[in-house]
Amino acid sequence: GICGDNHTTCSDYAQQMAYGVKPPPLADYIVNLGEAAEYMFDHTIFQDNLVFVDFCEAMVKATNPGVLARAERTEAPHGDIHGYRTIADIMRAFNPFEGEVYKEALKVSRVTREMFCLMEGRHVHPSTLYPGGVGTMPQPTTFTDYLSRLMRVIDFVKKAVAMNDDVFDFFYEALPGYEEVGRRRILLGCWGAFQDPTTVDYRYETMNTWGKQMYVTPGIIVDGELVTNNLVDINLGLRILLGSSYYEDWVNEQPFVTHDPLGNPVDMRHPWNQTTVPVPQKRDFDEKYSWVMSPRWYDRRTDQHLALDTGGGPLARLWSTALNGLVDTPYVKATGHSVRISLPKGESLPETTLEWHIPQWSNTIERDRARPYFIAYAAAMALQFLEEAMGLVRAGETKVFQNYEVPDEAIGCGFHEAVRGVLSHHLVIKEGKIANYHPYPPTPWNASPRDMYGTPGPYEDAV
């Protein structure tokens, strides 16, 4: 699929745990730079070339001409940044194939994809990422070529945030009740992204420590409250439920893993113990009707299996990072209630500090609004990763791969954020071979059918 690099990265994390190997720091920075470019590429093309079809002039004119008439009369609050006088002018810029922003976004997605390829070889299935490190040659030009492209898109990012805020705030005002569109109970999961190479050793025993040092902080948020940011707790709480899925249950089989490396018991419904035996049958909405299983997170406090959603990715990432208040870098700071993102001077706009605030709702507009803020977040963190990587190259620390041996028996798990949200890989090795392997990307979390307790997944909940 389109998330090939997110999966490769996550798979490497899981394998590095199983093999007991830590890549050299420069390799981790190169992976972080590739992933930052991927977030920028994917969110831009999704937001500006897909999401904004819903908010563009042509669509609003056809579906709600009164709102468009109001948009023509409404000054854009951030016109001094993005250059559009009215909200309707911004909407025109979003028109598919014709609007200025629509066309510029396609160019930006090309440049950010080039940035990605400098680090990960090719898009969408990377050719230079392996367990133990990378195959990217860390020459100074590798990083300066990335930086020159990043600086070309930095002003576009600042304008995108300003335009998004103007349009979304206008929709709340012009259509009272619009906050209910896509509104869900706040049940967000984030598994964290961007490893800190100075802390991470990929060992399960220290996963709680290095997980909290990630530059996007993991967390589970229930009704606005941060329940945990401990990756060991997050891992042990994972449950794969059936109920409405076309599969045979595995609870009566022999478990692959009874205890984690810290001695904690591992549930039979954990991905480490899952087996996949399909049972094709006629669709029946009272019984079985989906090929998707139902991942849930078991909340010991309430004895509930929570159908977490990913907030589209950025909403959960920003919300968790903000609430945790742990990220504190020259470019990104989490405050406990917001995330501050500092972007340097670009070709035409001055140095800018953006601030994303935890919203009142988990709804469609806030899922959409979070996306350009996370593009800015990824761009800002890329600047730090570049500085760190170039510092290592200048110091002669250019090693990017560490050898390892595949053990006879091992387990591993990788936690990462795909563009659309949570991604985990779970690996069991027996007799030197893969005995069990299960990846859980955002789709099963969001698209899961009703589970054995009758709880629908987020998509079904929305319908």
Side-chain angles (χ1 to χ4, degrees):
I2 196 168
C3 306
D5 69 289
N6 301 141
H7 277 290
T8 305
T9 299
C10 198
S11 179
D12 287 347
Y13 291 169
Q15 289 178 77
Q16 280 155 196
M17 184 180 286
Y19 306 157
V21 60
K22 171 180 163 53
L26 187 56
D28 275 327
Y29 283 123
I30 286 169
V31 172
N32 284 352
L33 284 164
E35 295 304 88
E38 170 68 3
Y39 292 131
M40 293 170 70
F41 154 74
D42 198 308
H43 285 324
T44 298
I45 208 163
F46 186 78
Q47 187 82 342
D48 296 338
N49 303 118
L50 296 170
V51 166
F52 274 124
V53 175
D54 287 351
F55 297 93
C56 75
E57 180 211 35
M59 178 67 84
V60 178
K61 189 179 192 174
T63 57
N64 210 325
V67 168
L68 182 61
R70 182 169 175 165
E72 297 281 12
R73 301 190 302 272
T74 305
E75 296 269 329
H78 295 104
D80 57 323
I81 298 170
H82 52 63
Y84 294 101
R85 192 179 66 79
T86 67
I87 299 295
D89 290 337
I90 302 175
M91 290 173 167
R92 271 186 281 281
F94 290 148
N95 279 342
F97 307 109
E98 294 165 1
E100 282 177 10
V101 173
Y102 186 94
K103 289 192 282 196
E104 194 180 351
L106 290 172
K107 290 179 190 164
V108 167
S109 66
R110 187 189 70 218
V111 173
T112 46
R113 203 182 282 202
E114 288 171 2
M115 288 159 62
F116 176 94
C117 291
L118 284 164
M119 296 299 151
E120 299 194 22
R122 65 178 178 183
H123 194 280
V124 67
H125 296 288
S127 52
T128 60
L129 263 56
Y130 330 113
V134 298
T136 309
M137 294 301 289
Q139 294 156 328
T141 51
T142 310
F143 302 106
T144 53
D145 286 353
Y146 185 108
L147 177 60
S148 65
R149 285 168 172 80
L150 179 58
M151 294 313 294
R152 270 165 57 195
V153 302
I154 219 117
D155 282 350
F156 175 84
V157 174
K158 295 171 193 168
K159 288 179 191 172
V161 170
M163 280 188 281
N164 280 254
D165 277 341
D166 283 356
V167 169
F168 295 141
D169 290 346
F170 168 80
F171 265 81
Y172 276 145
E173 210 176 289
L175 290 167
Y178 204 73
E179 67 277 0
E180 292 301 318
V181 175
R183 186 162 81 85
R184 225 182 152 245
R185 181 184 172 196
I186 299 165
L187 287 174
L188 295 167
C190 168
W191 296 168
F194 297 145
Q195 302 290 356
D196 176 354
T198 64
T199 315
V200 67
D201 60 8
Y202 296 101
R203 291 172 60 238
Y204 188 90
E205 291 82 353
T206 53
M207 184 161 71
N208 176 33
T209 305
W210 53 257
K212 289 187 171 84
Q213 296 296 311
M214 290 161 101
Y215 290 113
V216 170
T217 319
I220 288 173
I221 299 147
V222 177
D223 299 326
E225 179 196 343
L226 182 66
V227 174
T228 183
N229 59 5
N230 182 336
L231 277 180
V232 174
D233 287 348
I234 288 172
N235 176 54
L236 291 171
L238 296 178
R239 300 285 184 273
I240 309 305
L241 303 186
L242 298 173
S244 306
S245 314
Y246 301 131
Y247 299 97
E248 241 172 55
D249 207 342
W250 57 85
V251 284
N252 297 321
E253 295 182 25
Q254 281 293 106
F256 288 94
V257 180
T258 57
H259 290 82
D260 74 357
L262 290 165
N264 300 304
V266 174
D267 194 86
M268 196 61 201
R269 295 203 173 278
H270 187 278
W272 272 330
N273 288 323
Q274 177 193 335
T275 56
T276 308
V277 181
V279 184
Q281 56 195 276
K282 193 172 188 299
R283 183 186 291 159
D284 177 350
F285 283 109
D286 293 322
E287 285 290 327
K288 315 270 189 220
Y289 57 90
S290 177
W291 284 109
V292 184
M293 292 186 188
S294 300
R296 299 289 184 259
W297 191 74
Y298 177 64
D299 189 346
R300 282 180 304 191
R301 306 168 313 154
T302 57
D303 192 33
Q304 286 184 315
H305 292 77
L306 301 176
L308 302 176
D309 72 74
T310 72
L315 187 65
R317 287 196 278 275
L318 290 167
W319 207 310
S320 178
T321 300
L323 275 182
N324 272 291
L326 294 173
V327 174
D328 186 3
T329 75
Y331 297 101
V332 176
K333 288 190 192 323
T335 68
H337 56 82
S338 68
V339 177
R340 281 195 208 111
I341 303 159
S342 298
L343 294 174
K345 182 178 182 300
E347 289 169 345
S348 59
L349 292 173
E351 184 181 344
T352 304
T353 297
L354 306 165
E355 190 162 11
W356 177 89
H357 296 272
I358 291 176
Q360 201 176 333
W361 307 286
S362 173
N363 65 9
T364 300
I365 277 197
E366 297 308 334
R367 286 191 276 277
D368 286 342
R369 188 198 302 271
R371 210 167 281 118
Y373 275 94
F374 197 77
I375 295 170
Y377 191 118
M381 286 311 309
L383 288 161
Q384 179 179 328
F385 301 144
L386 281 169
E387 287 168 15
E388 305 273 8
M390 290 197 274
L392 288 171
V393 171
R394 281 194 290 270
E397 292 183 40
T398 55
K399 188 178 176 186
V400 289
F401 185 76
Q402 180 62 47
N403 269 328
Y404 58 87
E405 303 239 330
V406 176
D408 282 341
E409 311 278 321
I411 56 175
C413 55
F415 287 94
H416 185 38
E417 284 282 306
V419 181
R420 292 170 302 124
V422 294
L423 175 60
S424 57
H425 280 220
H426 303 270
L427 160 70
V428 181
I429 296 173
K430 288 193 184 301
E431 297 175 9
K433 299 190 180 81
I434 293 177
N436 208 14
Y437 199 106
H438 290 285
Y440 272 91
T443 299
W445 284 95
N446 291 328
S448 60
R450 286 192 305 278
D451 60 32
M452 56 207 270
Y453 300 105
T455 310
Y459 289 173
E460 187 170 335
D461 190 23
V463 174

